[in-house]
């Protein structure tokens, strides 16, 4: 049931905003409808049309909220005259991409655009968004609140975007889809390594966007990156949902059709459009996809691509991935030297993945006591149960081998 509610939430919000226009009030109403569903459906059973139930319930709640807000500003008799009509029939159209474009309105700062869209369209919690940004949760809450106020003040219209609307919003739209996919690919918390509902929704919206902008290289690059990455999904977990690292995955379980589609997409984009960060990441994923075995991976090419990516679009995770690639090419000691420099970045301070990479490199270098300690630190820092279990297993393995 939780997955159904997560999938339908942005569609229901889009339907209400298209009908009523007031984003802030509609989101409050949708949240209350989701809460009602979570309370009632387990006892009464899921309705035959869950989306219609949620839209109807949210519409009624929105009317109640609207009446309450209006009553504070107008006399009671005027409120009665202004009562909106009963909810219209549930629309069949999917407005999620339109909602995403609204969240990326030019009146918002880039950070606010992404935070609001991740909340409204991606269905991520404030805490999940904060972890994606590596910033305090209170910061994200303030961004979302300010963004909704700006949307209201700008009187932004909910309508399908015209071709000229994409330009000033495209970077934020792509960033949102990328972050939604990333959270789905490796969930930042919880019992499951992956959240297929998020990866599937990100791919679905990326396909819609690519269909509208077929010549936009970065749109094709992002879709290709998603397909090439998601192609490995079945091999990333073992029995009981245990994490399986890339080098140990059974590559016969990789989805070759998705790899072929992603490779074709990025190959075409590279020859027809300016090269951007998403295309570069897609090429890295394609290099991994072409290796029949882990030892066949062209790490030198990957290291070079991460060097270029770090120059074009630097970021904490790009830095860590480049360190891993350098270690594969030049050895774990070289990787540890690079990591010592990278760890000085405040964005990476106390991030559990720094300790995880350090532990991996120390283990390869033969320093098992230090590796075990670093694995333990990384395990304590992650909120993902599969990651924690994997890191604890590695720590015990290093500890047992040193005695």
């Amino acid at each position: 049931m939780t997955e159904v509610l997560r999938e339908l939430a942005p569609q229901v919000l889009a339907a209400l905003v298209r009908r009523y226009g007031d984003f802030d009030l509609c989101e409050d109403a949708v949240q209350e409808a989701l809460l009602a569903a979570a309370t009632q459906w387990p006892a009464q059973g899921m309705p035959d049309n869950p989306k219609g139930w949620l839209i109807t319930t949210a519409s009624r709640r929105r009317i109640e909220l609207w009446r309450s807000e209006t009553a504070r500003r107008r006399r009671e008799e005027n409120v009665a005259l202004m009562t909106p009509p009963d909810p219209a029939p549930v629309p069949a159209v999917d407005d999620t991409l339109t909602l995403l474009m609204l969240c990326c309105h030019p009146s918002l700062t880039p950070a606010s655009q992404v935070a609001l869209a991740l909340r409204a369209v991606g269905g991520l919690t404030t805490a999940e968004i904060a972890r994606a940004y590596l910033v305090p949760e209170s910061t994200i809450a303030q961004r979302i609140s300010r963004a909704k106020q700006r949307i209201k003040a700008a009187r932004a219209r909910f309508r399908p975007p015209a071709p000229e609307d994409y330009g000033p919003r495209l970077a934020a739209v792509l960033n949102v889809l990328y972050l939604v996919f990333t959270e789905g690919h490796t969930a930042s918390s919880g019992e499951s390594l992956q959240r297929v509902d998020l990866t599937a929704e990100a791919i679905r919206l990326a396909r819609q966007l690519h269909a509208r902008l077929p010549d936009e290289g970065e749109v094709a690059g992002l879709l290709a990156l998603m397909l090439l990455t998601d192609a490995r999904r079945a091999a990333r977990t073992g029995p009981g949902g245990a994490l399986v690292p890339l080098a140990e995955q059974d590559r016969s379980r990789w989805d070759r059709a998705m790899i072929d589609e992603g490779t074709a997409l990025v190959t075409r984009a590279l020859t027809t459009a300016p090269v951007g960060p998403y295309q570069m990441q897609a090429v890295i994923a394609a290099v991994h996809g072409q290796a029949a075995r882990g030892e066949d991976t062209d790490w030198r090419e990957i290291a070079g691509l991460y060097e270029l990516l770090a120059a074009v679009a630097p970021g904490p995770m790009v830095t860590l991935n480049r360190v891993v690639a350098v270690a594969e090419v030049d050895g774990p000691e070289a990787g540890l030297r690079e990591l010592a420099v990278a760890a000085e970045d405040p964005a990476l301070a106390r991030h559990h993945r720094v300790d995880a990479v350090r532990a991996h490199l120390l283990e390869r270098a033969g320093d098992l006591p230090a590796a075990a300690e670093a694995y333990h630190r990384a395990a304590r820092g992650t909120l993902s149960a599969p990651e924690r279990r994997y890191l604890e297993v590695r720590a015990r393995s290093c500890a047992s081998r040193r005695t």
Side-chain angles (χ1 to χ4, degrees):
M1 185 187 71
T2 301
E3 291 186 1
V4 172
L5 292 177
R6 282 186 178 274
E7 178 183 349
L8 292 178
Q11 300 178 37
V12 174
L13 178 57
L16 258 69
V17 175
R18 180 162 67 91
R19 182 179 299 164
Y20 300 114
D22 45 5
F23 186 99
D24 201 4
L25 207 58
C26 288
E27 191 191 29
D28 290 341
V30 170
Q31 292 302 316
E32 295 201 20
L34 293 172
L35 180 60
T39 303
Q40 296 177 29
W41 290 3
Q44 302 174 7
M46 187 179 298
D48 294 336
N49 182 1
K51 178 180 177 181
W53 189 98
L54 287 168
I55 290 177
T56 300
T57 303
S59 295
R60 289 172 178 165
R61 184 56 184 146
R62 184 261 169 203
I63 290 172
E64 294 171 3
L65 293 170
W66 179 85
R67 284 173 173 160
S68 177
E69 180 178 311
T70 304
R72 290 193 295 268
R73 295 180 286 110
R74 300 178 182 273
R75 291 180 301 173
E76 187 173 351
E77 58 268 29
N78 288 337
V79 174
L81 295 175
M82 296 175 61
T83 300
D86 290 334
V90 176
V93 65
D94 179 5
D95 289 317
T96 311
L97 190 59
T98 302
L99 177 62
L100 176 56
M101 293 294 290
L102 176 64
C103 292
C104 296
H105 192 274
S107 67
L108 306 180
T109 65
S112 295
Q113 289 174 332
V114 175
L116 180 62
L118 286 174
R119 183 73 183 87
V121 179
L124 303 188
T125 66
T126 306
E128 288 168 342
I129 299 169
R131 287 194 290 271
Y133 268 105
L134 304 180
V135 298
E137 186 174 343
S138 59
T139 300
I140 296 300
Q142 291 172 0
R143 289 178 187 174
I144 293 173
S145 178
R146 286 196 297 265
K148 290 192 288 187
Q149 292 170 7
R150 283 181 176 271
I151 288 282
K152 184 177 182 179
R155 297 185 178 181
R157 295 175 56 197
F158 186 85
R159 59 179 176 79
E164 61 271 17
D165 293 333
Y166 284 100
R169 310 187 195 193
L170 189 57
V173 168
L174 293 177
N175 195 16
V176 168
L177 294 178
Y178 175 77
L179 290 173
V180 170
F181 179 86
T182 299
E183 176 63 25
H185 178 66
T186 303
S188 59
S189 63
E191 290 297 318
S192 299
L193 178 68
Q194 304 171 104
R195 289 175 54 182
V196 180
D197 58 323
L198 293 183
T199 54
E201 179 68 0
I203 291 173
R204 185 181 73 86
L205 292 174
R207 286 192 185 279
Q208 287 187 16
L209 191 60
H210 179 58
R212 298 188 186 191
L213 302 171
D215 298 323
E216 184 63 50
E218 280 292 77
V219 175
L222 178 58
L223 177 56
L225 173 61
M226 290 179 179
L227 294 172
L228 288 159
T229 304
D230 199 49
R232 306 195 292 264
R233 176 171 17 110
R236 295 182 65 231
T237 55
L243 184 154
V244 180
L246 179 62
E248 299 173 19
Q249 289 175 14
D250 178 0
R251 301 190 177 210
S252 68
R253 301 182 66 196
W254 288 5
D255 189 323
R256 299 309 310 180
M258 293 181 76
I259 291 174
D260 291 342
E261 182 184 1
T263 301
L265 272 170
V266 71
T267 299
R268 179 183 180 278
L270 290 172
T271 58
T272 60
V275 178
Y278 294 116
Q279 294 168 65
M280 296 172 67
Q281 291 180 72
V283 172
I284 293 171
V287 174
H288 282 296
Q290 292 164 3
R293 302 174 303 166
E295 54 266 36
D296 297 332
T297 304
D298 190 343
W299 283 106
R300 191 169 297 278
E301 180 179 2
I302 290 174
L305 288 167
Y306 272 122
E307 286 285 350
L308 293 174
L309 185 59
V312 174
M317 293 303 110
V318 172
T319 299
L320 282 183
N321 288 331
R322 189 188 68 82
V323 168
V324 173
V326 168
E328 292 291 341
V329 175
D330 299 326
E333 291 81 4
L336 286 167
R337 289 193 295 272
E338 293 281 342
L339 185 62
V341 176
E344 296 177 0
D345 183 347
L348 287 173
R350 296 182 298 279
H351 196 288
H352 78 276
R353 288 201 174 129
V354 173
D355 282 320
V357 171
R358 180 179 289 111
H360 171 68
L361 298 180
L362 288 168
E363 182 180 8
R364 285 186 54 199
D367 190 346
L368 298 182
E373 183 180 346
Y375 276 127
H376 278 306
R377 284 199 307 272
R380 290 193 296 269
T382 182
L383 297 177
S384 167
E387 276 192 337
R388 182 168 57 253
R389 287 192 290 266
Y390 171 78
L391 292 166
E392 288 171 346
V393 167
R394 297 307 312 159
R396 289 194 295 269
S397 173
C398 289
S400 66
R401 284 182 286 150
R402 73 183 183 183
T403 58

